[in-house]
Amino acid sequence: MLGIETASTEELPDDVQHTKERKPDVLKRVTDVRSNTFVLQIEFQLADEPQMVYRMAEYYVMLSRKYGLPIEQFVIFLGSTKPTMPVRLMHRRMQFEFSLISFTDLDYQLFLRSERPEEVVLAVLTDFRGNDAVEVLTQIVQRINETTESDLSLKRHINQLRILTQLRNLELNLTTVMDSIASFFKEEKDFLYIRGQELIINNLLMNTDFSAEKIADLTGVSVDFVRTVQRKLTGKAD
């Protein structure tokens, strides 16, 4: 009846565990701009897991059964090497595949352009495109500074950056960067410091004939900063 001619058989345990609980890293119902609705699952992976394809296949079946929607699955690989994990199953009765994205293939500029510091931080895990690590880390730290609104937020994201640099063995490079610009951040985020500079520049603008370049040189700020204060003073600020 089965169409199988057996040469031998062996009994296997019939208590296969199937009711295991799975918790995806990210799970969302998404509707895209073309009005397609689907379940989005994302898994973040540090280890190059050879059995990952089976785990994703289990997720696919359980999510499809539960939600009755198309399933889109991505594994985001955060390791420093090229992942070799299989992404597809090709059996006679079943074919399955998931999408694998490795951070080592992504351009760090993609994250550097973000306006969200929690995204800028992720640039440290990407491809530096042959640029010097200290130079890239300096850009990342400066961009974090530009996109944060408080000292507390800045410290939190710098701490996150310190943790992520350990995944790329860049701790010493980050220390070099932070030692060179730490005082700059302290002053840049200090409202009283900035306000004091503005007052000094106001006095020089009103009581001297010094040029913007001369005032910038005396106060240690940029010429653009002096001209911004000058526009405020004359009521021509935007």
Side-chain angles (χ1 to χ4, degrees), residues 53-54 57 86-98:
V53 67
Y54 293 103
V87 299
R88 62 178 59 89
L89 293 173
M90 300 295 290
H91 297 292
R92 188 166 71 93
R93 299 291 188 183
M94 175 182 178
Q95 297 183 17
F96 170 79
E97 183 176 0
F98 68 87

Side-chain angles (χ1 to χ4, degrees), residues 6-25:
T6 60
S8 66
T9 63
E10 177 186 354
E11 291 294 328
L12 294 175
D14 58 5
D15 57 345
V16 178
Q17 182 67 34
H18 180 69
T19 57
K20 62 179 63 178
E21 181 177 338
R22 291 288 194 188
K23 289 191 111 177
D25 291 336

Side-chain angles (χ1 to χ4, degrees), residues 76 101-129 131 136 139-140 143 147:
I76 310 296
I101 297 175
S102 174
F103 258 68
T104 56
D105 293 331
L106 303 176
D107 189 337
Y108 78 98
Q109 292 285 353
L110 173 67
F111 294 89
L112 212 59
R113 290 192 293 267
S114 175
E115 296 296 329
R116 299 164 61 96
E118 59 268 31
E119 294 175 358
V120 175
V121 167
L122 295 176
V124 73
L125 298 177
T126 60
D127 185 356
F128 290 177
R129 296 298 195 255
N131 294 304
V136 174
Q139 294 178 52
I140 294 172
R143 186 62 181 147
T147 54

Side-chain angles (χ1 to χ4, degrees), residues 9-230:
T9 63
E10 177 186 354
E11 291 294 328
L12 294 175
D14 58 5
D15 57 345
V16 178
Q17 182 67 34
H18 180 69
T19 57
K20 62 179 63 178
E21 181 177 338
R22 291 288 194 188
K23 289 191 111 177
D25 291 336
V26 175
L27 190 65
K28 294 181 181 294
R29 184 194 304 266
V30 175
T31 300
D32 64 19
V33 294
R34 292 177 293 276
S35 299
N36 298 313
T37 299
F38 56 90
V39 172
L40 172 66
Q41 179 203 356
I42 300 176
E43 296 298 312
F44 296 99
Q45 192 72 15
L46 276 173
D48 193 4
E49 176 55 62
Q51 301 294 309
M52 193 69 188
V53 67
Y54 293 103
R55 194 199 319 174
M56 296 303 289
E58 290 175 354
Y59 273 129
Y60 188 95
V61 172
M62 288 189 285
L63 292 173
S64 182
R65 180 178 181 180
K66 180 173 182 177
Y67 295 105
L69 290 170
I71 311 297
E72 294 292 336
Q73 295 175 300
F74 294 87
V75 171
I76 310 296
F77 184 69
L78 303 177
S80 59
T81 60
K82 287 282 187 182
T84 60
M85 67 178 75
V87 299
R88 62 178 59 89
L89 293 173
M90 300 295 290
H91 297 292
R92 188 166 71 93
R93 299 291 188 183
M94 175 182 178
Q95 297 183 17
F96 170 79
E97 183 176 0
F98 68 87
S99 297
L100 176 63
I101 297 175
S102 174
F103 258 68
T104 56
D105 293 331
L106 303 176
D107 189 337
Y108 78 98
Q109 292 285 353
L110 173 67
F111 294 89
L112 212 59
R113 290 192 293 267
S114 175
E115 296 296 329
R116 299 164 61 96
E118 59 268 31
E119 294 175 358
V120 175
V121 167
L122 295 176
V124 73
L125 298 177
T126 60
D127 185 356
F128 290 177
R129 296 298 195 255
N131 294 304
D132 178 71
V134 170
E135 176 187 337
V136 174
L137 285 170
T138 300
Q139 294 178 52
I140 294 172
V141 173
Q142 288 177 339
R143 186 62 181 147
I144 292 172
N145 179 60
E146 293 169 358
T147 54
T148 54
E149 298 180 352
S150 68
D151 282 339
L152 182 61
S153 177
L154 176 63
K155 290 175 182 176
R156 182 173 70 253
H157 289 105
I158 292 298
N159 284 335
Q160 291 172 352
L161 181 63
R162 289 186 188 279
I163 293 170
L164 292 179
T165 55
Q166 297 175 26
L167 300 179
R168 294 294 185 267
N169 296 318
L170 295 172
E171 304 99 308
L172 293 179
N173 301 84
L174 182 61
T175 298
T176 300
V177 171
M178 295 308 299
D179 285 345
S180 65
I181 61 179
S183 61
F184 165 77
F185 286 141
K186 188 174 188 303
E187 293 179 346
E188 280 289 293
K189 290 295 183 181
D190 189 338
F191 171 79
L192 294 178
Y193 173 84
I194 296 173
R195 182 58 181 155
Q197 289 290 75
E198 289 180 348
L199 291 174
I200 293 171
I201 292 168
N202 274 334
N203 285 330
L204 291 173
L205 288 169
M206 290 188 297
N207 299 308
T208 72
D209 294 323
F210 293 160
S211 66
E213 289 76 11
K214 177 69 172 177
I215 294 175
D217 184 61
L218 289 172
T219 56
V221 300
S222 68
V223 175
D224 286 342
F225 185 83
V226 174
R227 287 176 176 158
T228 297
V229 175
Q230 191 174 35

